[in-house]
Amino acid sequence: MRDRRPARRQLPDEVRRALKRPAHTTIWLVASLVGVFMLQLKADALTSVLSMVRLGANVPALVYEGEWWRLISANFLHGSVLHIAFNGWALWVLGGLLERML
């Protein structure tokens, strides 16, 4: 009787090598997120909206007045431990994979 299982395909060598490389940019980004979150904890920004604004939260009126850097800095701010944990995990998994693929 014949075996009807499909043949298992091997990944090309270049893909296997790419998946083994460390994702330096992703590591740097996750470390930056954790660092900014520690700063948020020190500034008590999880409970104070004014502290979040001081740290660079996105306020459209301030962006319109010329504080364009808030469009970038707001991406590093998080509202809770669960928020940064999920975002950090997703960035670690998906960002690392995307970085290695590119």
Side-chain angles (χ1 to χ4, degrees), residues 1-99:
M1 186 162 180
R2 253 177 117 189
D3 190 10
R4 296 202 179 248
R5 285 182 286 171
R8 207 172 209 187
R9 287 191 223 163
Q10 291 282 331
L11 288 174
D13 287 338
E14 63 190 40
V15 173
R16 259 190 276 140
R17 271 181 281 159
L19 290 174
K20 288 182 183 178
R21 283 192 304 244
H24 296 292
T25 304
T26 301
I27 293 168
W28 182 84
L29 280 172
V30 171
S32 297
L33 288 178
V34 171
V36 170
F37 190 71
M38 293 300 173
L39 181 65
Q40 280 182 259
L41 291 176
K42 186 161 178 66
D44 198 31
L46 297 183
T47 58
S48 170
V49 174
L50 186 57
S51 292
M52 283 287 247
V53 171
R54 274 194 226 119
L55 289 175
N58 189 5
V59 179
L62 296 175
V63 173
Y64 183 73
E65 290 178 7
E67 295 184 13
W68 57 268
W69 51 270
R70 290 181 178 277
L71 297 172
I72 299 166
S73 64
N75 292 297
F76 289 87
L77 298 175
H78 291 83
S80 69
V81 174
L82 184 62
H83 184 193
I84 191 167
F86 182 76
N87 283 6
W89 173 77
L91 177 62
W92 185 263
V93 172
L94 299 175
L97 180 62
L98 180 63
E99 183 178 348

